[in-house]
Amino acid sequence: MLKGPPWLPGILALCAFGLSFLALLASLELLPQHSDVAVYAAFLVFLMAWAALNRLSNRYASENIGP
């Protein structure tokens, strides 16, 4: 069972996308000749940021909460 507001996963995905976009811009600025590698690196940043943000939000509630 999930707890928390239903809009939270979308906000977390937008934050992860923003972070990956900043990583893409930074890598293109630093290494413009390796644009193909920058896209892969930005995608990895997106996956790691999304996983970390979802893990930090800890939206799973325990089903068997007893007194």
Side-chain angles (χ1 to χ4, degrees):
M1 172 184 271
L2 292 176
K3 62 180 180 178
W7 47 264
L8 188 61
I11 296 298
L12 294 176
L14 282 176
C15 290
F17 175 75
L19 188 63
S20 68
F21 187 71
L22 289 176
L24 176 66
L25 290 178
S27 61
L28 286 176
E29 185 71 28
L30 293 174
L31 300 168
Q33 66 273 19
H34 298 292
S35 60
D36 53 344
V37 176
V39 173
Y40 293 129
F43 183 65
L44 288 176
V45 168
F46 171 76
L47 290 179
M48 290 187 298
W50 194 19
L53 288 172
N54 280 323
R55 180 71 177 147
L56 288 175
S57 70
N58 193 14
R59 300 188 64 221
Y60 289 99
S62 179
E63 297 256 350
N64 299 325
I65 297 176

